[in-house]
Amino acid sequence: SWMNKSMSKGAGRFTPQEKELLAPYVTNMDGPVFALTNLPEVVKGALFSRYSRSNLGLRELLLKEFIEAPDAELTAIEGGTRGGQGAAAARESQLAVERAQDFYDRILDGYGDDSIGELGGAHLAIENVSMIATKVVQDARIGGSPLEKSTRYVSFAEKQEGDFLFYKEPRLMASPHRDAYLEINRSLFETYRDLIPPLMAFIESETPRSTGVSQGAYNRSVRARALDALRGLLPASTVTNMGIFGNGRFFESLLVKLRLATLAELRELAEAMGGELGKIIPSFIRRASTEHHHFEGFREFDAAQQSALSNLVQSIPAGDPSKEPNAVELVEHDPHAEARVLAALAFPETELPLAQLREWAAGMPEGARAAIFEDLADLRGNRRHKPPRALEMVYYTFDLLGDFGMYRDMHRHRMLTQSRQLLSTRWGYEMSEELRAAGLAEPFEKMMDRAAAVHESISADYPSEAQYVVPMAYRIRWFMRINLRALMWLVELRSSPQGHPAYRSMAQQMYLRVREVHPHLAAMMRFVNLEDYPLGRLGAEQRQEGKGQ
């Protein structure tokens, strides 16, 4: 086989001494597929950047241009990166990385290709940042994989060091709005905390545990349902934790964006992130430093762009921005969608040009088209069976209005284009029907009204900072432009029984809008769930508990 031939061909390439030098850094010495180990990210990035312009294999390149290069400092670096070497070796390793930095920078700078920044990365933990900050970080779409603490499985009712966990926005804390800001945030958390027990009791009384359902799975489902219903009380200032894995290019772009942001929290976050990433992947983020000559160009461009957009907005005539609650409006769709998909499906199987195939598909009888889409849909056994990329030829644009909690869930789909407006209280709020049925609507509504009053007062002076007091129940408007393949994944995932009721409804409505204009294409979304469930997490919790036994 190819693998065996490659292994036999590679055997004996290295002397015993060379193998000893290489052993700490590669997972095998002979095979055509191997991984790198015990190397700092900047070393791996520099190594791969050289790899693209060398006739040597990666192991030979590592040996000749890095291990045997005195400037590379790999012997000292390896002493600290391998386990059990002790604190002294770890310190020497760090010093060696710093001494070698110029060596690696010369290699990276020698090519001037931005894609080199994708050859190294870092795992970064970001703790005690607001819900607003997490969305800005997650807006950076490509090259990063974020994970955020859940409002469904984790209660935010606990205090830390005598106070609830919310961001103390510095401009507001130094303003006449300080007391109102602190009071509304604390009151929102208190109401959230106080309503959890009675709401859980109501859910238990309305949906008693069935025979065969474990007590543990049932309790977790009830708790998730209660936290889902009450998360609307959490203000956007609520602090949470995030974990991110990203490559150097992702982090460089994100740091520039955060350093140019209006909100102080984002600029503070950039400094903290830059400091820590500088210990791991300094070469990849150096252009994001405010001292780098490129950064001033970023700043000037951002200022000019903001000025141009401000002039644009001033030219817009006054209109009525009102919209129905929870609106899902399909603003734009492709009237030639079916023909585009069929032509793209056929393209790789033929030698014909795409334009000719579109003419052929446009002339196909409707019944024949429908049969093809139905056959493709029938091939999918579950939602993870992804359809062909031909579905990416068709796009839909939605204007959406939903509560901020729902937006936070939908926003995590990033293979699309979306943009949001500022958080405010002008669009009204959502409240779970369970709160009304449980007789708990009054305290919830009271807090929404109080938050709206504080928001209006603060926004007159600090429109951006006023977002922090907006509870998650209040609606936000955003648009989403998404291709059919990505939309299929979104609506099938977000309409599943274990999903939050709010975003389940939005996903269902998005599917229905598509079905109205493209029924044959919508038929391919076999796993959209249009049902309603009283304890949507119960099945998932029961299955998870079964796996643990």
Side-chain angles (χ1 to χ4, degrees):
S1 71
W2 164 79
M3 184 71 74
N4 290 333
K5 288 179 181 177
S6 297
M7 290 182 70
S8 62
K9 183 178 180 181
R13 284 183 301 181
F14 303 108
T15 67
Q17 293 80 10
E18 289 173 333
K19 287 184 178 181
E20 185 176 355
L21 289 172
L22 279 169
Y25 308 117
V26 295
T27 54
N28 73 68
M29 207 64 64
D30 303 307
V33 178
F34 58 97
L36 297 175
T37 60
N38 298 316
L39 289 172
E41 293 300 315
V42 66
V43 178
K44 289 184 279 187
L47 176 60
F48 271 109
S49 68
R50 282 289 296 120
Y51 191 34
S52 68
R53 302 189 184 200
S54 173
N55 289 326
L56 297 177
L58 194 68
R59 282 173 291 229
E60 290 90 345
L61 191 66
L62 174 60
L63 179 69
K64 294 181 183 299
E65 297 194 17
F66 288 77
I67 295 177
E68 295 179 349
D71 290 346
E73 297 273 3
L74 273 191
T75 301
I77 291 172
E78 187 246 332
T81 54
R82 297 179 71 186
Q85 300 298 314
R91 285 194 296 272
E92 175 57 27
S93 172
Q94 181 58 40
L95 290 173
V97 171
E98 295 172 4
R99 290 194 298 267
Q101 199 65 54
D102 288 343
F103 172 79
Y104 299 118
D105 286 352
R106 287 198 300 273
I107 293 176
L108 295 173
D109 285 337
Y111 302 116
D113 187 344
D114 285 353
S115 64
I116 291 173
E118 298 176 11
L119 298 175
H123 287 85
L124 191 69
I126 302 175
E127 298 186 350
N128 296 324
V129 293
S130 75
M131 298 286 190
I132 289 179
T134 64
K135 293 302 103 183
V136 176
V137 172
Q138 291 169 18
D139 265 336
R141 297 176 296 185
I142 299 174
S145 300
L147 190 66
E148 183 180 344
K149 185 166 73 173
S150 172
T151 58
R152 162 172 284 174
Y153 305 111
V154 181
S155 169
F156 286 75
E158 291 74 25
K159 290 184 176 182
Q160 192 174 94
E161 297 180 1
D163 204 353
F164 293 105
L165 295 174
F166 65 94
Y167 179 64
K168 310 299 193 298
E169 207 291 321
R171 292 190 72 189
L172 299 182
M173 294 294 288
S175 78
H177 299 287
R178 171 192 170 94
D179 291 344
Y181 180 77
L182 292 173
E183 194 278 333
I184 190 59
N185 276 291
R186 288 166 179 159
S187 295
L188 285 164
F189 276 98
E190 288 169 355
T191 307
Y192 170 86
R193 178 197 61 195
D194 294 345
L195 293 186
I196 292 175
L199 183 57
M200 287 184 63
F202 171 78
I203 293 171
E204 289 172 353
S205 68
E206 290 294 300
T207 315
R209 181 167 64 94
S210 302
T211 304
V213 174
S214 74
Q215 188 67 51
Y218 176 76
N219 290 344
R220 289 191 296 274
S221 298
V222 169
R223 179 179 172 83
R225 187 79 178 194
L227 294 182
D228 273 349
L230 292 171
R231 75 177 185 182
L233 285 161
L234 296 174
S237 63
T238 302
V239 297
T240 185
N241 299 332
M242 289 184 70
I244 309 173
F245 174 74
N247 63 44
R249 193 175 186 178
F250 164 84
F251 281 122
E252 178 187 80
S253 176
L254 177 58
L255 286 173
V256 170
K257 178 181 179 179
L258 294 176
R259 283 179 168 139
L260 295 175
T262 300
L263 293 174
E265 180 187 14
L266 302 181
R267 299 194 300 274
E268 293 169 358
L269 181 59
E271 296 313 305
M273 291 173 61
E276 299 310 308
L277 291 169
K279 300 173 184 178
I280 305 170
I281 52 171
S283 293
F284 298 121
I285 63 166
R286 61 193 186 282
R287 289 188 302 186
S289 169
T290 56
E291 299 176 356
H292 196 279
H293 65 275
H294 279 304
F295 188 82
E296 189 56 35
F298 293 141
R299 190 195 306 277
E300 291 173 357
F301 170 72
D302 181 72
Q305 187 169 249
Q306 291 301 319
S307 177
L309 292 175
S310 177
N311 292 335
L312 171 66
V313 170
Q314 291 175 11
S315 69
I316 299 175
D320 181 9
S322 63
K323 193 171 177 60
E324 289 299 317
N326 281 326
V328 175
E329 181 179 344
L330 180 58
V331 176
E332 182 182 29
H333 67 277
D334 187 347
H336 307 293
E338 292 184 2
R340 292 187 193 279
V341 172
L342 288 170
L345 286 169
F347 183 81
E349 310 300 327
T350 75
E351 296 181 346
L352 298 175
L354 185 60
Q356 188 173 334
L357 288 170
R358 286 185 175 176
E359 291 180 10
W360 158 77
M364 183 181 294
E366 183 178 353
R369 290 186 190 181
I372 292 173
F373 294 130
E374 288 173 6
D375 289 343
L376 288 172
D378 289 341
L379 296 175
R380 300 179 65 220
N382 60 65
R383 65 177 175 82
R384 291 182 173 83
H385 289 168
K386 297 181 180 179
R389 285 192 174 181
L391 274 67
E392 296 176 10
M393 299 296 288
V394 175
Y395 279 81
Y396 302 89
T397 301
F398 294 93
D399 186 342
L400 303 169
L401 188 64
D403 68 71
F404 184 54
M406 176 201 306
Y407 168 78
R408 293 176 66 255
D409 293 311
M410 301 291 272
H411 177 259
R412 293 207 298 267
H413 296 266
R414 292 177 294 146
M415 294 305 294
L416 47 86
T417 298
Q418 55 183 312
S419 183
R420 65 180 176 272
Q421 298 175 351
L422 284 180
L423 272 175
S424 77
T425 56
R426 71 170 303 171
W427 306 118
Y429 58 86
E430 296 289 341
M431 183 177 67
S432 168
E433 286 301 317
E434 284 168 329
L435 283 171
R436 196 177 304 280
L440 302 174
E442 183 178 354
F444 186 95
E445 293 171 337
K446 179 181 178 181
M447 288 311 308
M448 292 302 108
D449 292 342
R450 288 175 58 188
V454 175
H455 172 265
E456 287 300 312
S457 174
I458 294 177
S459 63
D461 299 322
Y462 304 101
S464 295
E465 289 76 5
Q467 295 179 96
Y468 284 103
V469 303
V470 178
M472 287 171 57
Y474 272 97
R475 302 181 185 110
I476 182 174
R477 173 172 275 164
W478 78 102
F479 77 72
M480 182 184 293
R481 179 169 170 79
I482 184 169
N483 70 55
L484 176 58
R485 192 167 185 246
L487 179 65
M488 182 180 296
W489 175 260
L490 185 154
V491 298
E492 290 184 343
L493 172 66
R494 296 302 179 187
S495 66
S496 60
Q498 60 267 35
H500 189 285
Y503 71 61
R504 286 195 73 242
S505 173
M506 177 164 279
Q508 291 165 348
Q509 291 182 63
M510 293 173 75
Y511 162 75
L512 293 173
R513 298 296 85 75
V514 171
R515 193 173 71 176
E516 290 169 1
V517 296
H518 294 148
H520 302 320
L521 294 177
M524 298 185 69
M525 304 185 200
R526 287 193 60 193
F527 301 101
V528 176
N529 192 309
L530 298 177
E531 302 297 324
D532 191 17
Y533 299 90
L535 281 180
R537 284 297 309 170
L538 186 55
E541 293 290 354
Q542 189 79 342
R543 289 191 297 272
Q544 187 64 34
E545 189 166 280
K547 292 177 183 178
Q549 294 176 349

